[in-house]
Coordinates of all heavy atoms in Angstrom, one line a residue:
T56 N 3.1 59.1 11.7 CA 3.8 59.2 10.4 C 3.2 60.2 9.5 O 3.8 61.1 8.9 CB 3.9 57.9 9.7 OG1 4.7 57.0 10.6 CG2 4.6 58.0 8.4
R57 N 1.9 60.2 9.4 CA 1.1 61.1 8.6 C 1.3 62.5 9.1 O 1.4 63.4 8.3 CB -0.4 60.7 8.6 CG -1.2 61.5 7.6 CD -2.6 60.9 7.5 NE -3.3 61.5 6.5 CZ -4.4 62.3 6.8 NH1 -4.7 62.5 8.0 NH2 -5.1 62.9 5.8
A58 N 1.3 62.7 10.4 CA 1.5 64.1 10.9 C 2.8 64.7 10.6 O 3.0 65.9 10.6 CB 1.3 64.0 12.4
L59 N 3.8 63.9 10.3 CA 5.1 64.4 9.9 C 5.2 64.9 8.5 O 6.2 65.6 8.2 CB 6.2 63.2 10.1 CG 6.4 62.7 11.5 CD1 7.4 61.5 11.4 CD2 7.0 63.8 12.4
H60 N 4.2 64.6 7.7 CA 4.2 65.1 6.3 C 3.0 65.9 6.0 O 2.0 65.9 6.8 CB 4.2 63.8 5.4 CG 5.4 62.9 5.7 ND1 6.7 63.2 5.2 CD2 5.5 61.8 6.4 CE1 7.5 62.3 5.6 NE2 6.9 61.4 6.3
S61 N 3.0 66.5 4.9 CA 1.8 67.2 4.4 C 1.7 66.9 2.9 O 2.7 66.3 2.3 CB 2.0 68.7 4.5 OG 3.1 69.2 3.8
P62 N 0.6 67.1 2.3 CA 0.4 66.7 0.9 C 1.5 67.5 0.1 O 1.6 68.7 0.2 CB -1.0 67.2 0.5 CG -1.7 67.2 1.8 CD -0.7 67.6 2.8
N63 N 2.3 66.8 -0.7 CA 3.3 67.4 -1.5 C 3.7 66.4 -2.7 O 2.9 65.5 -3.0 CB 4.5 67.7 -0.7 CG 5.1 66.5 0.0 OD1 5.1 65.4 -0.5 ND2 5.6 66.7 1.2
D64 N 4.8 66.6 -3.3 CA 5.2 65.8 -4.4 C 5.9 64.5 -4.1 O 6.4 63.8 -5.0 CB 6.0 66.6 -5.4 CG 7.3 67.1 -4.9 OD1 7.5 66.9 -3.7 OD2 8.0 67.7 -5.7
T65 N 6.1 64.1 -2.8 CA 6.8 62.9 -2.5 C 5.9 61.7 -2.3 O 6.3 60.5 -2.5 CB 7.6 63.1 -1.2 OG1 6.6 63.2 -0.1 CG2 8.5 64.2 -1.2
G66 N 4.6 61.9 -2.0 CA 3.7 60.8 -1.8 C 3.6 60.2 -0.4 O 2.8 59.3 -0.1
H67 N 4.5 60.7 0.5 CA 4.5 60.2 1.9 C 3.2 60.4 2.6 O 2.7 59.5 3.2 CB 5.6 60.8 2.7 CG 7.0 60.3 2.3 ND1 7.7 60.8 1.2 CD2 7.8 59.4 2.8 CE1 8.8 60.2 1.1 NE2 8.9 59.3 2.1
W68 N 2.6 61.6 2.5 CA 1.4 61.8 3.2 C 0.3 60.9 2.6 O -0.6 60.4 3.3 CB 1.0 63.3 3.0 CG -0.2 63.8 3.7 CD1 -0.3 64.2 5.0 CD2 -1.6 63.8 3.2 NE1 -1.6 64.5 5.4 CE2 -2.4 64.3 4.3 CE3 -2.1 63.6 2.0 CZ2 -3.7 64.5 4.1 CZ3 -3.5 63.8 1.8 CH2 -4.3 64.2 2.9
E69 N 0.3 60.8 1.3 CA -0.7 60.0 0.6 C -0.6 58.5 1.0 O -1.6 57.8 1.1 CB -0.7 60.2 -0.9 CG -1.1 61.6 -1.3 CD 0.0 62.7 -1.2 OE1 1.1 62.4 -0.7 OE2 -0.3 63.8 -1.5
V70 N 0.6 58.0 1.1 CA 0.8 56.6 1.5 C 0.2 56.4 2.9 O -0.4 55.4 3.2 CB 2.3 56.2 1.4 CG1 2.5 54.8 2.1 CG2 2.7 56.1 0.0
S71 N 0.6 57.3 3.8 CA 0.0 57.3 5.2 C -1.5 57.3 5.2 O -2.1 56.6 6.0 CB 0.6 58.4 6.0 OG 2.0 58.3 6.1
T72 N -2.1 58.1 4.3 CA -3.5 58.2 4.2 C -4.1 56.8 3.8 O -5.0 56.3 4.3 CB -3.9 59.3 3.2 OG1 -3.5 60.5 3.7 CG2 -5.5 59.3 3.0
C73 N -3.4 56.2 2.8 CA -3.8 54.9 2.3 C -3.8 53.9 3.4 O -4.7 53.1 3.6 CB -2.9 54.5 1.1 SG -3.1 52.8 0.6
V74 N -2.7 53.9 4.2 CA -2.5 52.9 5.3 C -3.6 53.1 6.3 O -4.2 52.2 6.8 CB -1.1 53.0 5.9 CG1 -1.0 52.1 7.1 CG2 -0.1 52.5 4.8
L75 N -3.9 54.4 6.7 CA -5.0 54.7 7.6 C -6.3 54.2 7.1 O -7.1 53.6 7.9 CB -5.1 56.2 7.9 CG -4.0 56.7 8.9 CD1 -4.0 58.2 8.9 CD2 -4.1 56.1 10.2
E76 N -6.6 54.3 5.8 CA -7.8 53.8 5.2 C -7.9 52.3 5.4 O -9.0 51.7 5.7 CB -8.0 54.2 3.8 CG -8.2 55.7 3.6 CD -9.5 56.2 4.0 OE1 -10.4 55.4 4.4 OE2 -9.7 57.5 4.0
L77 N -6.8 51.7 5.1 CA -6.7 50.2 5.2 C -6.9 49.7 6.6 O -7.6 48.7 6.9 CB -5.4 49.7 4.6 CG -5.3 48.2 4.4 CD1 -6.5 47.6 3.7 CD2 -4.0 47.9 3.7
I78 N -6.3 50.4 7.6 CA -6.5 50.1 9.0 C -8.0 50.3 9.4 O -8.6 49.4 10.1 CB -5.6 51.0 9.9 CG1 -4.1 50.6 9.7 CG2 -6.0 50.8 11.4 CD1 -3.2 51.5 10.3
T79 N -8.6 51.3 8.9 CA -10.0 51.5 9.2 C -10.9 50.3 8.6 O -11.7 49.8 9.3 CB -10.5 52.8 8.6 OG1 -9.8 53.9 9.1 CG2 -12.0 53.1 8.8

Side-chain angles (χ1 to χ4, degrees):
T56 298
R57 187 170 183 251
L59 294 174
H60 302 281
S61 59
N63 57 35
D64 61 353
T65 66
H67 286 81
W68 186 85
E69 292 80 2
V70 170
S71 297
T72 298
C73 172
V74 173
L75 283 171
E76 292 291 352
L77 190 50
I78 291 168
T79 301

